Amino acid sequence: MPDSEQSTRPARPEPSDRATRSESSDGSDPPGPSVPLPSHPTHAIDRAFLSMARRRPDVRWDAGGVAYLSGPPPALADLRAYVGFRIGRMPLLTSRVEGGRRLRWQPDADFSVDRHVHEVAANGPDAWEAALNTALNAPFAPGAYWGIWLIHGHAPDAYAVCYRFHHACQDGSAAAMTFRTMLGDGEPSARPVPGRSRRAGAPRRVGRAVGLATKFMAGSLAVRGHRPDAAFVPTGERRLWRGRVPADTLRGIGAARGGSAHDAHLAALAGALSVWTDRAGVPLPRVTAVLPIDARRPDEDQTWGNRCFALPLELPVRTVPEQPDGSGGDASLRRLEHVMATTRKVRGETWRQAIQDLVRFMPGRPTEWYLRRMLSSRVTDVVATSMPLADKGSLGGTQVTGTALLPPLVPWHLFGVGLSFFGDWAEVSFVADRALPLGELLPELWEQAVGELEKSSAPV
């Protein structure tokens, strides 16, 4: 069983001559001139995560998700065969980073499914949590950027599949497509994207993108200038806690106020933290979440690397004050309005197009500086992401009954929180260090906060 204290950082890729090796269908063709294999350029965000991994090898720069299934688990050999069959639709997963100054995703001539697909067998019902924790904390194989763990043994008719990837390899949108390819029908995600650009608006778009970059970078500097005291001493071992509510509940809350289900989720998160901070004895004078924003263009392949932007959003944990005339509704609705004041800009065509242009054209060094800043405890305290997954999923004759996102967790953050939409459910997952005080209460408190929002949003 892997040592959970080991780093999950993949071995640092080294340049090789794989880019000039020739291919043959069965290995029997006579030698011929070298033919370059197809490759794909790395994005500035990919390179930023690789650089941060080199700078901080003690940090796990990975994310992922867990699918919970009903039915008898497959044998490890069968799962490996299944992944090997499906993986042809996801060429990035059989690639590695190659090159010197100009890194590229290059087909890995030494790729092996067996090095990426593993098994964790629980010793009976009471060992389920230990088996899941092993999958959450196990290191990747040397040189690998991702791994799949089959978790079973706690029940004869239930098991889970845990997928984790180094963030240089994928962002959440690409990882959601991996879920659908492996366990669903591979349908495209329900992500909003701007229409195709027109050349006539290019100067104005450049100005907006530069202005947006200046706004966010300046905002990251106008915060506390020292690293705050840690709320706890991290152990390096992650834990996962889950909650769920009907997806229509979150959608209804958001729609009633002109917002989205994600807005309702963030408002409920702020409400949950307002209770948790008192119970756990962890002072939270300010909580800022970093929100990953999908910035892929309509013509970009979701399988290759990162196309996301990090947006900071202050969570109204201590509630937004009422208006001078005493109006403004109850605390839960004031939290929702506070969240929507920021997110409605992102949903607009102007901001979304500017973010897309920013991700496309921002140079590598400013990109890395900005990401490091956004993940610093001087600026943010949690990572909060959400993703539509699929209406249903299956593996062979077994059905997916639940999901959990695994947001990246950096040691100086309180936790990472993910909201996945699967079937009729909106499922929240909290990933935190096991030393976080009363972390297991967070899903229940979030569910209660959603209930308060639903009650406050109901028509009188």
Side-chain angles (χ1 to χ4, degrees):
M1 192 173 291
D3 181 359
S4 63
E5 296 300 323
Q6 287 182 277
S7 170
T8 60
R9 183 176 68 94
R12 178 178 178 179
E14 298 294 341
S16 75
D17 63 351
R18 290 195 187 100
T20 58
R21 293 181 184 176
S22 61
E23 291 185 298
S24 63
S25 59
D26 59 5
S28 61
D29 293 345
S34 297
V35 178
L37 298 178
S39 62
H40 200 95
T42 57
H43 192 273
I45 302 174
D46 304 347
R47 298 190 295 274
F49 276 109
L50 287 170
S51 177
M52 288 190 292
R54 289 193 294 269
R55 288 171 176 263
R56 293 297 304 267
D58 57 314
V59 176
R60 302 171 186 265
W61 298 101
D62 64 288
V66 179
Y68 300 83
L69 297 99
S70 64
L76 178 61
D78 292 338
L79 179 60
R80 285 173 170 170
Y82 177 86
V83 172
F85 174 74
R86 292 273 182 165
I87 208 171
R89 306 180 191 179
M90 303 289 294
L92 177 66
L93 298 186
T94 58
S95 302
R96 60 179 290 124
V97 173
E98 302 282 359
R101 296 181 62 183
R102 296 184 178 181
L103 298 175
R104 300 182 70 86
W105 290 105
Q106 193 78 24
D108 186 354
D110 298 325
F111 176 81
S112 168
V113 170
D114 291 4
R115 287 197 309 117
H116 293 77
V117 182
H118 315 281
E119 178 180 32
V120 181
N123 186 20
D126 296 337
W128 161 251
E129 185 175 355
L132 176 62
N133 292 339
T134 296
L136 294 178
N137 294 285
F140 295 141
Y145 293 94
W146 61 273
I148 290 175
W149 283 263
L150 170 64
I151 313 168
H152 66 95
H154 61 292
D157 58 352
Y159 68 100
V161 175
C162 176
Y163 169 62
R164 291 178 24 234
F165 58 91
H166 192 288
H167 220 310
C169 178
Q170 289 183 320
D171 56 23
S173 179
M177 176 168 278
T178 300
F179 174 92
R180 291 187 289 271
T181 300
M182 292 292 180
L183 299 175
D185 298 327
E187 72 273 16
S189 69
R191 60 191 182 95
V193 294
R196 294 184 180 276
S197 61
R198 292 174 294 180
R199 295 177 61 87
R204 182 176 295 179
R205 282 171 47 196
V206 170
R208 287 171 177 165
V210 171
L212 198 64
T214 303
K215 172 184 175 67
F216 288 134
M217 289 185 176
S220 74
L221 297 174
V223 294
R224 56 194 177 201
H226 64 281
R227 189 178 297 277
D229 295 335
F232 58 93
V233 179
T235 66
E237 186 175 349
R238 292 177 287 194
R239 289 288 188 270
L240 169 64
W241 299 289
R242 302 168 61 211
R244 57 163 38 179
V245 297
D248 285 345
T249 298
L250 282 185
R251 295 185 181 119
I253 293 169
R257 312 294 291 190
S260 68
H262 186 57
D263 296 332
H265 157 60
L266 292 174
L269 175 62
L273 285 174
S274 70
V275 178
W276 176 83
T277 180
D278 294 330
R279 293 191 185 179
V282 177
L284 296 178
R286 145 202 168 281
V287 179
T288 301
V290 55
L291 309 182
I293 304 296
D294 183 4
R296 272 180 169 76
R297 305 192 308 276
D299 59 340
E300 282 188 311
D301 191 343
Q302 282 183 299
T303 66
W304 289 101
N306 289 266
R307 299 295 189 277
C308 60
F309 186 76
L311 174 70
L313 182 144
E314 184 176 356
L315 295 176
V317 173
R318 293 302 181 187
T319 75
V320 179
E322 292 185 0
Q323 300 298 323
D325 60 0
S327 63
D330 65 14
S332 61
L333 290 182
R334 293 202 302 275
R335 290 190 178 100
L336 180 58
E337 292 293 342
H338 177 91
V339 168
M340 290 171 51
T342 297
T343 60
R344 65 167 53 100
K345 297 178 182 178
V346 179
R347 288 194 300 271
E349 178 73 15
T350 300
W351 268 46
R352 186 163 287 277
Q353 182 68 71
I355 289 174
Q356 188 186 79
D357 292 336
L358 194 59
V359 169
R360 183 179 182 183
F361 296 114
M362 193 158 71
R365 288 186 179 180
T367 296
E368 181 182 347
W369 180 89
Y370 181 77
L371 279 178
R372 291 205 332 260
R373 189 72 186 172
M374 283 298 103
L375 292 172
S376 166
S377 64
R378 296 183 177 92
V379 179
T380 58
D381 306 275
V382 302
V383 174
T385 186
S386 68
M387 186 61 57
L389 291 179
D391 290 333
K392 59 183 179 179
S394 63
L395 199 167
T398 62
Q399 301 298 313
V400 178
T401 60
T403 58
L405 298 186
L406 302 176
L409 176 66
V410 289
W412 45 88
H413 276 183
L414 289 170
F415 52 77
V417 58
L419 182 70
S420 58
F421 292 90
F422 178 78
D424 296 330
W425 294 98
E427 308 207 42
V428 70
S429 56
F430 290 86
V431 177
D433 191 278
R434 67 175 173 85
L436 180 71
L438 300 182
E440 67 277 7
L441 294 182
L442 288 168
E444 180 182 356
L445 295 177
W446 178 85
E447 291 174 349
Q448 292 173 1
V450 171
E452 293 173 3
L453 273 170
E454 183 181 25
K455 182 179 179 179
S456 300
S457 301
V460 179

